[in-house]
Amino acid sequence: MAIIAPSLLAADFLHLGKACEMLNESEAEWFHLDVMDGSFVPNISYGLPVIEQIKKTTTKVMDVHLMIVHPEKYITDFKKAGADILTIHYEACPHLHSTLQQIKAQGMKAGVALNPHTSVEVLKEVIKDIDVVCVMSVNPGFGGQKFIEHTYEKVKALAILIKNVGASTLIEIDGGVTEHNAAALVNAGAHVLVAGTTVFKASDPKAMISLLRKA
Ligand code: DX5
Ligand code: ZN
Protein backbone atom coordinates (compact mmCIF):
# COMPACT_ATOMS: atom_id res chain seq x y z
CA MET A 1 0.00 0.00 0.00
CA ALA A 2 1.58 3.28 -1.10
CA ILE A 3 0.96 6.80 0.14
CA ILE A 4 -0.39 8.73 -2.85
CA ALA A 5 0.48 12.41 -3.20
CA PRO A 6 -1.45 13.95 -6.11
CA SER A 7 0.37 16.97 -7.53
CA LEU A 8 -1.70 20.12 -7.86
CA LEU A 9 0.38 21.18 -10.87
CA ALA A 10 -1.81 19.12 -13.20
CA ALA A 11 -5.12 20.40 -11.76
CA ASP A 12 -7.43 22.93 -13.43
CA PHE A 13 -6.19 26.20 -11.91
CA LEU A 14 -9.55 27.86 -12.54
CA HIS A 15 -11.19 25.36 -10.19
CA LEU A 16 -8.74 24.69 -7.38
CA GLY A 17 -11.58 24.32 -4.89
CA LYS A 18 -12.92 21.39 -6.90
CA ALA A 19 -9.49 19.77 -6.95
CA CYS A 20 -9.28 20.05 -3.14
CA GLU A 21 -12.78 18.63 -2.76
CA MET A 22 -11.94 15.64 -4.96
CA LEU A 23 -8.76 15.05 -2.99
CA ASN A 24 -10.49 15.28 0.37
CA GLU A 25 -12.93 12.59 -0.72
CA SER A 26 -10.14 10.39 -2.10
CA GLU A 27 -7.81 7.82 -0.54
CA ALA A 28 -4.78 10.06 -1.09
CA GLU A 29 -3.00 10.86 2.17
CA TRP A 30 -0.79 13.73 0.98
CA PHE A 31 -1.24 16.74 -1.30
CA HIS A 32 1.92 17.52 -3.30
CA LEU A 33 2.50 21.23 -3.96
CA ASP A 34 5.23 22.24 -6.43
CA VAL A 35 6.80 25.66 -6.00
CA MET A 36 9.03 26.77 -8.91
CA ASP A 37 10.98 30.01 -9.12
CA GLY A 38 12.12 30.25 -12.75
CA SER A 39 15.71 30.14 -11.52
CA PHE A 40 16.39 26.73 -9.98
CA VAL A 41 14.08 25.28 -12.63
CA PRO A 42 13.06 26.77 -16.00
CA ASN A 43 9.44 27.28 -15.02
CA ILE A 44 7.35 29.35 -12.58
CA SER A 45 4.37 27.72 -10.89
CA TYR A 46 2.63 29.24 -7.86
CA GLY A 47 3.60 30.29 -4.38
CA LEU A 48 2.65 31.17 -0.82
CA PRO A 49 -0.84 32.73 -1.27
CA VAL A 50 -2.11 29.71 -3.22
CA ILE A 51 -0.73 27.28 -0.64
CA GLU A 52 -2.28 29.30 2.16
CA GLN A 53 -5.74 29.03 0.56
CA ILE A 54 -5.35 25.31 -0.12
CA LYS A 55 -4.44 24.70 3.51
CA LYS A 56 -7.83 26.13 4.53
CA THR A 57 -9.65 23.65 2.31
CA THR A 58 -7.70 20.40 2.47
CA THR A 59 -7.71 17.69 5.11
CA LYS A 60 -4.57 16.07 3.70
CA VAL A 61 -0.89 16.32 4.62
CA MET A 62 0.57 19.35 2.81
CA ASP A 63 3.71 18.09 1.06
CA VAL A 64 5.47 21.20 -0.28
CA HIS A 65 8.25 20.65 -2.85
CA LEU A 66 10.45 23.73 -3.20
CA MET A 67 12.22 23.98 -6.55
CA ILE A 68 13.77 27.31 -5.67
CA VAL A 69 17.19 28.77 -4.97
CA HIS A 70 17.89 29.81 -1.36
CA PRO A 71 15.05 27.76 0.15
CA GLU A 72 16.46 28.55 3.62
CA LYS A 73 15.09 32.08 3.27
CA TYR A 74 11.48 30.94 3.13
CA ILE A 75 11.18 28.23 5.80
CA THR A 76 9.07 30.30 8.20
CA ASP A 77 6.88 31.58 5.35
CA PHE A 78 5.99 28.09 4.18
CA LYS A 79 5.33 26.98 7.74
CA LYS A 80 2.90 29.88 8.12
CA ALA A 81 1.27 29.03 4.78
CA GLY A 82 0.53 25.51 6.05
CA ALA A 83 3.31 23.13 4.97
CA ASP A 84 3.51 19.90 6.98
CA ILE A 85 6.44 18.53 5.00
CA LEU A 86 8.95 20.93 3.46
CA THR A 87 11.19 19.45 0.76
CA ILE A 88 14.25 21.30 -0.48
CA HIS A 89 16.65 20.33 -3.25
CA TYR A 90 20.06 18.92 -2.42
CA GLU A 91 21.39 20.88 -5.42
CA ALA A 92 20.12 24.18 -3.95
CA CYS A 93 21.55 23.76 -0.44
CA PRO A 94 25.22 24.29 0.34
CA HIS A 95 24.42 23.92 4.05
CA LEU A 96 21.95 21.07 3.86
CA HIS A 97 22.37 19.82 7.43
CA SER A 98 21.68 23.25 8.87
CA THR A 99 18.68 23.88 6.59
CA LEU A 100 17.16 20.52 7.60
CA GLN A 101 17.47 21.46 11.27
CA GLN A 102 15.78 24.80 10.61
CA ILE A 103 12.84 23.07 8.94
CA LYS A 104 12.43 20.67 11.87
CA ALA A 105 12.75 23.48 14.39
CA GLN A 106 9.60 24.93 12.82
CA GLY A 107 7.72 21.69 13.54
CA MET A 108 7.68 20.43 9.94
CA LYS A 109 8.97 17.17 8.51
CA ALA A 110 12.09 17.70 6.41
CA GLY A 111 12.44 16.38 2.87
CA VAL A 112 15.35 16.41 0.43
CA ALA A 113 14.82 16.08 -3.32
CA LEU A 114 17.47 14.70 -5.65
CA ASN A 115 17.70 15.59 -9.34
CA PRO A 116 18.07 12.64 -11.73
CA HIS A 117 21.85 13.10 -12.03
CA THR A 118 22.47 13.25 -8.27
CA SER A 119 23.57 10.02 -6.61
CA VAL A 120 21.77 8.89 -3.46
CA GLU A 121 25.21 8.45 -1.84
CA VAL A 122 25.49 12.21 -1.26
CA LEU A 123 22.86 11.85 1.50
CA LYS A 124 24.76 9.23 3.46
CA GLU A 125 25.97 11.56 6.21
CA VAL A 126 22.58 13.23 6.76
CA ILE A 127 20.12 10.46 6.05
CA LYS A 128 19.14 10.13 9.71
CA ASP A 129 18.09 13.78 9.69
CA ILE A 130 15.81 13.37 6.67
CA ASP A 131 12.15 12.39 6.98
CA VAL A 132 11.50 12.04 3.24
CA VAL A 133 13.84 11.66 0.27
CA CYS A 134 12.12 12.75 -2.93
CA VAL A 135 13.72 10.93 -5.85
CA MET A 136 13.07 12.95 -9.00
CA SER A 137 12.15 10.55 -11.78
CA VAL A 138 12.00 13.41 -14.32
CA ASN A 139 14.00 16.62 -14.55
CA PRO A 140 12.16 19.05 -12.28
CA GLY A 141 10.22 21.92 -13.79
CA PHE A 142 7.27 20.44 -15.63
CA GLY A 143 4.50 17.93 -15.20
CA GLY A 144 3.63 15.30 -17.79
CA GLN A 145 7.18 14.16 -18.57
CA LYS A 146 8.40 10.65 -19.29
CA PHE A 147 9.57 8.54 -16.34
CA ILE A 148 13.34 7.94 -16.22
CA GLU A 149 13.86 4.17 -15.94
CA HIS A 150 17.17 4.45 -14.04
CA THR A 151 15.08 5.59 -11.05
CA TYR A 152 14.56 1.97 -9.98
CA GLU A 153 18.30 1.53 -9.38
CA LYS A 154 18.40 4.71 -7.30
CA VAL A 155 15.44 3.65 -5.19
CA LYS A 156 17.02 0.27 -4.47
CA ALA A 157 20.34 1.88 -3.50
CA LEU A 158 18.55 4.42 -1.32
CA ALA A 159 16.53 1.71 0.45
CA ILE A 160 19.79 -0.07 1.34
CA LEU A 161 21.41 3.15 2.54
CA ILE A 162 18.41 3.88 4.81
CA LYS A 163 18.34 0.34 6.16
CA ASN A 164 22.08 0.31 6.86
CA VAL A 165 21.86 3.28 9.21
CA GLY A 166 18.57 2.16 10.76
CA ALA A 167 16.72 5.31 9.66
CA SER A 168 12.96 5.50 9.08
CA THR A 169 13.20 7.85 6.08
CA LEU A 170 10.40 7.57 3.52
CA ILE A 171 11.21 7.28 -0.18
CA GLU A 172 9.03 9.43 -2.45
CA ILE A 173 9.00 9.23 -6.26
CA ASP A 174 8.20 12.36 -8.23
CA GLY A 175 7.56 12.52 -11.96
CA GLY A 176 6.03 10.29 -14.59
CA VAL A 177 4.33 7.94 -12.12
CA THR A 178 1.50 5.96 -13.71
CA GLU A 179 -0.63 2.91 -12.96
CA HIS A 180 1.89 0.97 -15.08
CA ASN A 181 5.04 1.67 -13.03
CA ALA A 182 3.55 2.19 -9.54
CA ALA A 183 3.81 -1.45 -8.39
CA ALA A 184 7.39 -1.81 -9.63
CA LEU A 185 8.35 1.36 -7.75
CA VAL A 186 6.83 0.09 -4.52
CA ASN A 187 8.60 -3.25 -5.01
CA ALA A 188 11.88 -1.38 -5.42
CA GLY A 189 11.32 0.33 -2.06
CA ALA A 190 9.18 3.44 -2.64
CA HIS A 191 6.69 4.48 0.05
CA VAL A 192 5.16 7.62 -1.49
CA LEU A 193 4.11 8.15 -5.12
CA VAL A 194 3.56 11.65 -6.46
CA ALA A 195 1.20 11.73 -9.43
CA GLY A 196 0.05 14.83 -11.28
CA THR A 197 -1.02 14.06 -14.82
CA THR A 198 -2.00 10.46 -14.04
CA VAL A 199 -4.47 11.60 -11.37
CA PHE A 200 -5.84 14.89 -12.66
CA LYS A 201 -6.16 13.90 -16.31
CA ALA A 202 -7.84 10.58 -15.45
CA SER A 203 -11.52 10.25 -16.31
CA ASP A 204 -12.11 9.25 -12.68
CA PRO A 205 -9.33 10.79 -10.51
CA LYS A 206 -10.54 9.19 -7.27
CA ALA A 207 -10.58 5.72 -8.83
CA MET A 208 -7.08 6.35 -10.20
CA ILE A 209 -5.84 7.32 -6.72
CA SER A 210 -7.28 4.07 -5.32
CA LEU A 211 -5.63 2.08 -8.08
CA LEU A 212 -2.22 3.68 -7.50
CA ARG A 213 -2.56 3.20 -3.75
CA LYS A 214 -2.98 -0.55 -4.12
CA ALA A 215 0.36 -0.78 -5.98
C1 DX5 B 1 7.97 18.24 -11.53
C2 DX5 B 1 7.19 18.23 -10.27
C3 DX5 B 1 6.23 17.10 -10.14
C4 DX5 B 1 5.14 17.10 -11.18
C5 DX5 B 1 4.79 15.67 -11.46
O1 DX5 B 1 8.96 19.19 -11.46
O2 DX5 B 1 8.04 18.17 -9.14
O3 DX5 B 1 5.66 17.03 -8.84
O4 DX5 B 1 3.98 17.76 -10.79
O5 DX5 B 1 3.92 15.64 -12.51
P1 DX5 B 1 3.59 14.31 -13.32
O6 DX5 B 1 3.03 13.34 -12.34
O7 DX5 B 1 2.62 14.78 -14.34
O8 DX5 B 1 4.91 13.83 -13.90
ZN1 ZN C 1 7.15 17.74 -7.11
Side-chain angles (χ1 to χ4, degrees), residues 116-147:
H117 72 274
T118 305
S119 165
V120 298
E121 300 299 323
V122 299
L123 298 180
K124 191 171 165 237
E125 311 304 333
V126 281
I127 195 74
K128 279 192 169 167
D129 298 290
I130 305 174
D131 296 302
V132 185
V133 175
C134 178
V135 179
M136 292 306 304
S137 37
V138 297
N139 282 290
F142 303 91
Q145 300 182 76
K146 193 176 174 288
F147 178 83

Side-chain angles (χ1 to χ4, degrees), residues 7 9 32 34 36 65 67 136 138-145 174-177 194-197:
S7 166
L9 201 61
H32 188 83
D34 290 303
M36 304 177 184
H65 177 191
M67 284 160 273
M136 292 306 304
V138 297
N139 282 290
F142 303 91
Q145 300 182 76
D174 190 5
V177 171
V194 174
T197 310

Side-chain angles (χ1 to χ4, degrees), residues 197-210:
T197 310
T198 298
V199 165
F200 284 98
K201 304 292 184 248
S203 55
D204 185 344
K206 278 186 268 185
M208 180 54 77
I209 289 169
S210 303

Side-chain angles (χ1 to χ4, degrees), residues 21-183:
E21 210 174 286
M22 179 283 288
L23 213 74
N24 286 346
E25 292 166 2
S26 80
E27 290 177 39
E29 289 169 62
W30 294 9
F31 203 168
H32 188 83
L33 302 155
D34 290 303
V35 178
M36 304 177 184
D37 66 353
S39 182
F40 181 71
V41 286
N43 194 11
I44 298 174
S45 56
Y46 53 83
L48 290 158
V50 171
I51 290 180
E52 215 176 308
Q53 293 308 314
I54 286 171
K55 177 70 176 179
K56 291 182 191 163
T57 328
T58 187
T59 54
K60 307 292 178 176
V61 172
M62 300 273 287
D63 174 33
V64 177
H65 177 191
L66 297 184
M67 284 160 273
I68 65 174
V69 294
H70 297 299
E72 71 282 355
K73 287 188 188 168
Y74 302 97
I75 294 171
T76 322
D77 293 324
F78 281 101
K79 168 68 184 173
K80 279 191 199 138
D84 298 302
I85 302 166
L86 196 60
T87 294
I88 52 181
H89 264 264
Y90 168 81
E91 299 82 5
C93 293
H95 304 288
L96 185 63
H97 180 268
S98 157
T99 308
L100 289 169
Q101 307 312 323
Q102 289 171 46
I103 293 173
K104 291 206 232 181
Q106 294 286 327
M108 293 179 285
K109 300 261 188 224
V112 177
L114 296 178
N115 278 341
H117 72 274
T118 305
S119 165
V120 298
E121 300 299 323
V122 299
L123 298 180
K124 191 171 165 237
E125 311 304 333
V126 281
I127 195 74
K128 279 192 169 167
D129 298 290
I130 305 174
D131 296 302
V132 185
V133 175
C134 178
V135 179
M136 292 306 304
S137 37
V138 297
N139 282 290
F142 303 91
Q145 300 182 76
K146 193 176 174 288
F147 178 83
I148 297 171
E149 295 290 328
H150 180 66
T151 306
Y152 295 112
E153 305 310 315
K154 287 181 76 173
V155 173
K156 284 182 204 161
L158 181 58
I160 292 169
L161 199 151
I162 292 168
K163 197 171 167 231
N164 283 349
V165 295
S168 50
T169 314
L170 295 177
I171 300 176
E172 178 177 42
I173 312 298
D174 190 5
V177 171
T178 68
E179 66 276 34
H180 307 297
N181 57 20

